[in-house]
Amino acid sequence: MGLRYETEDYYALIDLGIVSPDMYVYRNEYREANRSFGELITLELGQPTGVSGSHSYYARIKSVGEFGIDEMQDFAHRILSLQPVNEVNDLVRMPDNTWVGIGLRSNYNTDFWFIRDTTLSYDAYIGTDAGSIQLDATKAVTGSYFDYSVSTGLNAVLYDEVVSAAPVQASTRHLVPYANVKVEFDAFGYDFYVSERISLPTIATDDRVFAVLSAGITFDF
């Protein structure tokens, strides 16, 4: 979960997240984690992506440590009557660390043949935590009540210190294809969105489909 503040000139973002071992493998007494557990706080400052063909830059600081985010996760598990996971996650908790990096984004509108009215974009990032280049194609459709967008892309990962963090030191998947569907609508004077992203996992040893459901609210002031 996170919060993003944006003006015409810049944006500031704070994101709280958890990366944890696969619960399917990790749910019985003979647990074998496929990656290390970590609580992450990400701070990012950059330029909003502007008109077609323009470039925008950003800087990122990411820290892993004990921030209490795992307590939120355990609270959600109790509400949903799921198994508590904090004690077993602590067995494979990442060591505290802080990474920094910079990135470059750009987008282009194209009318070429079958990808007419499609936005092509890339996001190149290099830092002490990861190095990657993401290529994306997004098709947007405006409706009377809902706006839709469908995107597909490929994330080429050179290295990822979060995926391969000790003590488990999982192997990083270097090519991660994905597809995303997003629905936006207005209600009660605010802009809402719901999106579903389907991809391969970031861990090379896991070939099962990985799906993430996201939701958010945007308001102007």
Side-chain angles (χ1 to χ4, degrees), residues 133-207:
I133 300 176
Q134 180 172 294
L135 305 176
D136 182 275
T138 300
K139 175 78 172 181
V141 177
T142 302
S144 301
Y145 301 101
F146 299 94
D147 295 334
Y148 307 88
S149 65
V150 179
S151 61
T152 184
L154 179 69
N155 191 21
V157 182
L158 301 177
Y159 58 94
D160 192 324
E161 299 297 332
V162 176
V163 173
S164 60
V168 177
Q169 297 179 317
S171 54
T172 302
R173 184 183 300 277
H174 294 293
L175 293 177
V176 182
Y178 67 88
N180 190 82
V181 178
K182 184 177 182 180
V183 179
E184 300 175 88
F185 58 94
D186 298 332
F188 312 110
Y190 301 102
D191 298 325
F192 293 83
Y193 76 85
V194 179
S195 69
E196 179 80 13
R197 187 180 191 271
I198 299 174
S199 71
L200 286 177
T202 55
I203 301 173
T205 55
D206 189 352
D207 291 326

Side-chain angles (χ1 to χ4, degrees), residues 34-56:
N34 63 348
R35 70 176 301 167
S36 299
F37 169 80
E39 302 173 57
L40 296 173
I41 294 182
T42 302
L43 301 175
E44 189 173 301
L45 181 65
Q47 302 167 308
T49 304
V51 297
S52 177
S54 66
H55 302 287
S56 59

